[in-house]
Every structure is written in structure tokens, then in C-alpha cells.
Amino acid sequence: MSWLDRVVGLLSLDLGIDLGTANTLVAVKGRGVVISEPSVVAVKKGTKQVIDGPTGLAVGDQAKVMLGKNPGNIDVIKPLKDGVIADLEITEHMLRYFIRKASGGRRIVPPRVVVAVPSGINEVEKGAVTNSTRKAGAREVFLLQEPMAAAIGAGLPVADPVGSMIVDIGGGTTEVAVISMVGIVNSESVRCAGDEIDQAIIKYLKSQYSVVIGENTAEQVKLTIGAAVAPADELRMPIKGRDLRTGLPHQLEVSSTEIAEAIRPQVQTIVGAIKMVLERTAPELASDLIERGITMAGGTSQLRGLADLIARETRLPVYVANDPMTCVARGCAALLEDLDALKQILEAGVQQ
Ligand SMILES: Nc1ncnc2c1ncn2[C@@H]1O[C@H](COP(=O)(O)OP(=O)(O)OP(=O)(O)O)[C@@H](O)[C@H]1O
Ligand SMILES: [Mg+2]
């Protein structure tokens, strides 16, 4: 390392960013996760101008509380959809805000950033992420495939000549990958995860009870009583929404059995993606999986009963990683500690 590199290193931060559909996390090299906020931005209606929240710009936590409660002159936007950027300019605003917040405004030299992207995104989408991150203030941008980042963050031996399976179930996408010798041997990405589960809950209440609820309420229902299969101990919960027939606020009670039934197609899609990758996995690697099992990361991996269901359907042991929602960001930051490993992984087929 030259003296110049060392000086630049002291003056700048290296950041790992998990730009997620539901949440954006920023980890600082050597310090861990410093930001974990919803990927939400509030703007003046019809513009790209971010409005002020209670304290500072309405981005992240300050914007999510406004979802579904905003007056007509404000748009509350989720700039990522299905794991990819749906609104470039808003994504840039959001990234700039988080990068500044993580840097604490102290650093003079812009940061070097590793961003995790879904393995299913195309070249145009990759270019969009790189450009947005650069414009948001990064000096250098590396894109890392999300399953690789998740596997590293989950502590899997990605460099060894053994097969490891990582399943990252987030808000917008489910990513399944078998990794061996720093390469993704086999993978599948489906645009079905926590958000689709929330939508299924909204649809069910509307068709079954003619009650309309918002996205935040649907997520609360999922977190409180949602389950991949109807649990032995029935859970119940009161839900407040608007009755479509009378137009008035209405409260009703629903059970976990009903919710499990309502979200079954989405759960089946997730299980199906895992099975598809297993079917395509070469015998030597498949035999590693019998011993090593499946490791899960991402918020939706914590859905009640999901790990058990996957274990039953695949007949493999299933583990949820420690701190599953931060694996991707921690994996990105870990690679910045070891630039040689980063280069090796990037050369092994991960882009740019
Ligand atoms: N305990 C839980 N049970 C079920 N779902 C959960 C739980 N905790 C969080 N979630 C869900 O996890 C999702 C967010 O997970 P995560 O932060 O990993 O997604 P993301 O990285 O933003 O999305 P993606 O990777 O698809 O772009 C949300 O849909 C949230 O409702
Ligand atoms: Mg994610």
C-alpha cells in the first residue's frame, strides 16, 4: 500500500450498503452496521424534492411513518421495487442521505462503497445502481451479488471447495444460491418475498371481509400472527381498516390459520425456488448440503414456521443465520477489510 493510499484510507470511510427493497443498511468497515432504515422517501407531490421530516430530511424512518397517512401534497415513495431501482433520482437522494449520515460529515475524501445487488438484475439495472451510488457521493463502487454478500455475512465458508446453500428472503426478492470456491455455482432469484406476502394479506381481507387495510397494517398482521403453516397454537389479532360497504372504520379479528392460508401461494413460490436450485445442483455439491444444510438470511426468513416447512419439504437441516437482516451489509463491509478477497470474488464472476 502506498503512502497516498494510507492517507486516503485515514481520511475516508469504506462502506458496505445493502440497498434493499424494504430496508437499506449501511455497515462501516471495522465498525459494523451503523444505519438500518426503511427504503422510503417523502417528496413534494409530483416532484423529486425531498421534504423535511420532524428532524432533518424525510428519508428512512422519518418517511416510513408517513406511509398511508400523508396529505395529498406529499408522495411517500419506495424507490426500489422487487429488489431493483424503480425510481433512480429518489434512490440517489436516499443513498446520498444515508452515505452522509454514515460518514458523519467528518471525512474529506468520499467513501469507497460495496453495494449488494440481486443476482437476477440485468446490465442496465447494474449500471443504474453504480451511477446512483457514484452520484450519491461514492469515490469507487463495487457491486457484489447479494447471495454472496449474505453468505459471507452469515459466516459460510465461501472460499472452500464445499457447497453451501444460502437463501436470502427479503422484502422484494428471494435469492437462492449454492456457493463453492468464491463462485455462485447455481442460483435462482424470484421476485416474491415479504412485500408479496403483505399484498396477499391485503387481498385476503378485502375479498373475505370487504375490509381495506394499508401496507403498514398488513406487515404488522404478518409479524404478529403470520405463519408459513397454520401453527398448533392458534394466534388471533384485532385488525382495524375501512369497511368497503359502509365506507366507515371497522375492526375485526383474524386468526393465524386464515393468514397462513392466504399467503400459501407466496410461501409455495419461495419453497419452489429452493427446490429448483436443489434439483439443479451437481451430486458432489448436493451431498455437501446434506451435511451442511441450508442457511437462511433476510427479514422474511424469520416468518413463523418457514424454516421448519423448508426443512420438511427439502429433507435438509435449515438454519436461520444470526442477525439475519444484517448479513448482506455485514458481508459487504467484511469484504472491504480484505480487498484481495474482494478482487478474487469480483473476478470469479461477480460484476464490475
Ligand atoms: N419476524 C419476521 N417475520 C416475518 N417477516 C419479517 C420479520 N421481520 C422482518 N420481516 C420482513 O422482512 C422483510 C424485510 O427484510 P429485509 O430487510 O431482509 O429485506 P430487503 O433486503 O430490504 O429486501 P430485498 O432483499 O428483497 O431487496 C419485510 O417484508 C419485513 O416485513
Ligand atoms: Mg435484502
mmCIF file of all heavy atoms in Angstrom, residues 307-329:
data_model
loop_
_atom_site.group_PDB
_atom_site.id
_atom_site.type_symbol
_atom_site.label_atom_id
_atom_site.label_comp_id
_atom_site.label_asym_id
_atom_site.label_seq_id
_atom_site.Cartn_x
_atom_site.Cartn_y
_atom_site.Cartn_z
ATOM 1 N N ALA A 307 -38.858 -21.945 8.404
ATOM 2 C CA ALA A 307 -37.659 -22.797 8.422
ATOM 3 C C ALA A 307 -38.064 -24.270 8.554
ATOM 4 O O ALA A 307 -37.524 -25.136 7.847
ATOM 5 C CB ALA A 307 -36.728 -22.387 9.566
ATOM 6 N N ASP A 308 -39.042 -24.557 9.415
ATOM 7 C CA ASP A 308 -39.499 -25.939 9.586
ATOM 8 C C ASP A 308 -40.121 -26.480 8.303
ATOM 9 O O ASP A 308 -39.883 -27.625 7.920
ATOM 10 C CB ASP A 308 -40.543 -26.028 10.711
ATOM 11 C CG ASP A 308 -39.898 -25.845 12.077
ATOM 12 O OD1 ASP A 308 -38.656 -25.973 12.150
ATOM 13 O OD2 ASP A 308 -40.633 -25.567 13.042
ATOM 14 N N LEU A 309 -40.920 -25.629 7.658
ATOM 15 C CA LEU A 309 -41.569 -26.067 6.420
ATOM 16 C C LEU A 309 -40.519 -26.413 5.360
ATOM 17 O O LEU A 309 -40.597 -27.452 4.698
ATOM 18 C CB LEU A 309 -42.506 -24.964 5.895
ATOM 19 C CG LEU A 309 -43.154 -25.253 4.542
ATOM 20 C CD1 LEU A 309 -44.171 -26.388 4.652
ATOM 21 C CD2 LEU A 309 -43.813 -24.010 3.960
ATOM 22 N N ILE A 310 -39.504 -25.556 5.216
ATOM 23 C CA ILE A 310 -38.465 -25.796 4.207
ATOM 24 C C ILE A 310 -37.679 -27.068 4.553
ATOM 25 O O ILE A 310 -37.353 -27.872 3.682
ATOM 26 C CB ILE A 310 -37.540 -24.561 4.083
ATOM 27 C CG1 ILE A 310 -38.345 -23.381 3.517
ATOM 28 C CG2 ILE A 310 -36.338 -24.855 3.183
ATOM 29 C CD1 ILE A 310 -37.633 -22.042 3.581
ATOM 30 N N ALA A 311 -37.428 -27.256 5.839
ATOM 31 C CA ALA A 311 -36.712 -28.473 6.263
ATOM 32 C C ALA A 311 -37.529 -29.718 5.894
ATOM 33 O O ALA A 311 -36.982 -30.709 5.399
ATOM 34 C CB ALA A 311 -36.448 -28.425 7.771
ATOM 35 N N ARG A 312 -38.832 -29.651 6.133
ATOM 36 C CA ARG A 312 -39.697 -30.795 5.798
ATOM 37 C C ARG A 312 -39.723 -31.040 4.296
ATOM 38 O O ARG A 312 -39.609 -32.163 3.832
ATOM 39 C CB ARG A 312 -41.132 -30.510 6.268
ATOM 40 C CG ARG A 312 -41.456 -31.113 7.618
ATOM 41 C CD ARG A 312 -42.943 -31.337 7.829
ATOM 42 N NE ARG A 312 -43.810 -30.241 7.438
ATOM 43 C CZ ARG A 312 -44.007 -29.133 8.152
ATOM 44 N NH1 ARG A 312 -43.358 -28.971 9.296
ATOM 45 N NH2 ARG A 312 -44.834 -28.204 7.733
ATOM 46 N N GLU A 313 -39.857 -29.982 3.524
ATOM 47 C CA GLU A 313 -40.014 -30.133 2.073
ATOM 48 C C GLU A 313 -38.717 -30.537 1.375
ATOM 49 O O GLU A 313 -38.744 -31.129 0.312
ATOM 50 C CB GLU A 313 -40.530 -28.827 1.465
ATOM 51 C CG GLU A 313 -41.906 -28.459 1.968
ATOM 52 C CD GLU A 313 -42.997 -28.640 0.912
ATOM 53 O OE1 GLU A 313 -42.650 -28.786 -0.273
ATOM 54 O OE2 GLU A 313 -44.170 -28.637 1.311
ATOM 55 N N THR A 314 -37.563 -30.164 1.940
ATOM 56 C CA THR A 314 -36.289 -30.477 1.271
ATOM 57 C C THR A 314 -35.561 -31.634 1.956
ATOM 58 O O THR A 314 -34.571 -32.127 1.441
ATOM 59 C CB THR A 314 -35.325 -29.265 1.305
ATOM 60 O OG1 THR A 314 -35.060 -28.939 2.673
ATOM 61 C CG2 THR A 314 -35.912 -28.060 0.598
ATOM 62 N N ARG A 315 -36.026 -32.009 3.130
ATOM 63 C CA ARG A 315 -35.372 -33.032 3.970
ATOM 64 C C ARG A 315 -33.921 -32.669 4.265
ATOM 65 O O ARG A 315 -33.039 -33.508 4.321
ATOM 66 C CB ARG A 315 -35.441 -34.398 3.294
ATOM 67 C CG ARG A 315 -36.868 -34.806 3.031
ATOM 68 C CD ARG A 315 -37.003 -36.296 2.866
ATOM 69 N NE ARG A 315 -38.341 -36.592 2.386
ATOM 70 C CZ ARG A 315 -38.608 -37.163 1.224
ATOM 71 N NH1 ARG A 315 -37.630 -37.544 0.440
ATOM 72 N NH2 ARG A 315 -39.837 -37.385 0.887
ATOM 73 N N LEU A 316 -33.669 -31.367 4.404
ATOM 74 C CA LEU A 316 -32.329 -30.898 4.780
ATOM 75 C C LEU A 316 -32.446 -30.082 6.060
ATOM 76 O O LEU A 316 -33.497 -29.487 6.318
ATOM 77 C CB LEU A 316 -31.749 -29.998 3.681
ATOM 78 C CG LEU A 316 -31.409 -30.661 2.346
ATOM 79 C CD1 LEU A 316 -30.984 -29.599 1.334
ATOM 80 C CD2 LEU A 316 -30.304 -31.696 2.515
ATOM 81 N N PRO A 317 -31.361 -30.045 6.850
ATOM 82 C CA PRO A 317 -31.410 -29.156 8.017
ATOM 83 C C PRO A 317 -31.441 -27.693 7.560
ATOM 84 O O PRO A 317 -30.785 -27.345 6.577
ATOM 85 C CB PRO A 317 -30.097 -29.452 8.760
ATOM 86 C CG PRO A 317 -29.350 -30.444 7.966
ATOM 87 C CD PRO A 317 -30.113 -30.793 6.727
ATOM 88 N N VAL A 318 -32.215 -26.869 8.232
ATOM 89 C CA VAL A 318 -32.332 -25.460 7.857
ATOM 90 C C VAL A 318 -31.978 -24.591 9.060
ATOM 91 O O VAL A 318 -32.493 -24.811 10.162
ATOM 92 C CB VAL A 318 -33.755 -25.132 7.373
ATOM 93 C CG1 VAL A 318 -33.899 -23.639 7.077
ATOM 94 C CG2 VAL A 318 -34.104 -25.937 6.123
ATOM 95 N N TYR A 319 -31.075 -23.658 8.870
ATOM 96 C CA TYR A 319 -30.672 -22.746 9.946
ATOM 97 C C TYR A 319 -30.962 -21.311 9.532
ATOM 98 O O TYR A 319 -30.742 -20.947 8.387
ATOM 99 C CB TYR A 319 -29.167 -22.856 10.217
ATOM 100 C CG TYR A 319 -28.687 -24.275 10.369
ATOM 101 C CD1 TYR A 319 -28.097 -24.945 9.293
ATOM 102 C CD2 TYR A 319 -28.845 -24.959 11.575
ATOM 103 C CE1 TYR A 319 -27.671 -26.260 9.421
ATOM 104 C CE2 TYR A 319 -28.428 -26.275 11.710
ATOM 105 C CZ TYR A 319 -27.840 -26.916 10.633
ATOM 106 O OH TYR A 319 -27.430 -28.204 10.758
ATOM 107 N N VAL A 320 -31.423 -20.509 10.482
ATOM 108 C CA VAL A 320 -31.540 -19.080 10.217
ATOM 109 C C VAL A 320 -30.261 -18.444 10.775
ATOM 110 O O VAL A 320 -29.870 -18.718 11.914
ATOM 111 C CB VAL A 320 -32.791 -18.472 10.897
ATOM 112 C CG1 VAL A 320 -32.837 -16.955 10.678
ATOM 113 C CG2 VAL A 320 -34.062 -19.104 10.322
ATOM 114 N N ALA A 321 -29.580 -17.635 9.947
ATOM 115 C CA ALA A 321 -28.315 -17.015 10.361
ATOM 116 C C ALA A 321 -28.531 -16.117 11.580
ATOM 117 O O ALA A 321 -29.645 -15.641 11.810
ATOM 118 C CB ALA A 321 -27.752 -16.175 9.209
ATOM 119 N N ASN A 322 -27.468 -15.881 12.313
ATOM 120 C CA ASN A 322 -27.528 -14.904 13.393
ATOM 121 C C ASN A 322 -27.801 -13.549 12.789
ATOM 122 O O ASN A 322 -27.195 -13.197 11.780
ATOM 123 C CB ASN A 322 -26.174 -14.808 14.116
ATOM 124 C CG ASN A 322 -26.047 -15.894 15.145
ATOM 125 O OD1 ASN A 322 -27.057 -16.436 15.628
ATOM 126 N ND2 ASN A 322 -24.809 -16.231 15.473
ATOM 127 N N ASP A 323 -28.663 -12.787 13.424
ATOM 128 C CA ASP A 323 -28.954 -11.439 12.955
ATOM 129 C C ASP A 323 -29.206 -11.428 11.439
ATOM 130 O O ASP A 323 -28.477 -10.780 10.676
ATOM 131 C CB ASP A 323 -27.736 -10.545 13.299
ATOM 132 C CG ASP A 323 -28.154 -9.106 13.483
ATOM 133 O OD1 ASP A 323 -29.344 -8.812 13.260
ATOM 134 O OD2 ASP A 323 -27.292 -8.279 13.820
ATOM 135 N N PRO A 324 -30.247 -12.162 11.000
ATOM 136 C CA PRO A 324 -30.418 -12.414 9.557
ATOM 137 C C PRO A 324 -30.616 -11.165 8.705
ATOM 138 O O PRO A 324 -30.294 -11.171 7.524
ATOM 139 C CB PRO A 324 -31.668 -13.303 9.494
ATOM 140 C CG PRO A 324 -32.400 -13.058 10.766
ATOM 141 C CD PRO A 324 -31.337 -12.771 11.795
ATOM 142 N N MET A 325 -31.139 -10.080 9.304
ATOM 143 C CA MET A 325 -31.413 -8.896 8.481
ATOM 144 C C MET A 325 -30.177 -8.064 8.186
ATOM 145 O O MET A 325 -30.212 -7.172 7.338
ATOM 146 C CB MET A 325 -32.487 -8.025 9.137
ATOM 147 C CG MET A 325 -33.849 -8.694 9.078
ATOM 148 S SD MET A 325 -35.144 -7.745 9.877
ATOM 149 C CE MET A 325 -35.533 -6.555 8.617
ATOM 150 N N THR A 326 -29.062 -8.338 8.881
ATOM 151 C CA THR A 326 -27.852 -7.536 8.638
ATOM 152 C C THR A 326 -26.764 -8.308 7.890
ATOM 153 O O THR A 326 -25.689 -7.762 7.620
ATOM 154 C CB THR A 326 -27.253 -6.996 9.962
ATOM 155 O OG1 THR A 326 -26.835 -8.109 10.755
ATOM 156 C CG2 THR A 326 -28.253 -6.174 10.750
ATOM 157 N N CYS A 327 -27.039 -9.570 7.536
ATOM 158 C CA CYS A 327 -25.998 -10.393 6.900
ATOM 159 C C CYS A 327 -25.410 -9.742 5.648
ATOM 160 O O CYS A 327 -24.191 -9.727 5.458
ATOM 161 C CB CYS A 327 -26.567 -11.754 6.493
ATOM 162 S SG CYS A 327 -26.774 -12.868 7.870
ATOM 163 N N VAL A 328 -26.281 -9.223 4.774
ATOM 164 C CA VAL A 328 -25.802 -8.684 3.495
ATOM 165 C C VAL A 328 -24.882 -7.478 3.723
ATOM 166 O O VAL A 328 -23.787 -7.400 3.158
ATOM 167 C CB VAL A 328 -26.998 -8.329 2.578
ATOM 168 C CG1 VAL A 328 -26.537 -7.558 1.346
ATOM 169 C CG2 VAL A 328 -27.733 -9.601 2.166
ATOM 170 N N ALA A 329 -25.312 -6.555 4.569
ATOM 171 C CA ALA A 329 -24.493 -5.361 4.821
ATOM 172 C C ALA A 329 -23.178 -5.743 5.493
ATOM 173 O O ALA A 329 -22.104 -5.237 5.129
ATOM 174 C CB ALA A 329 -25.258 -4.365 5.690
#
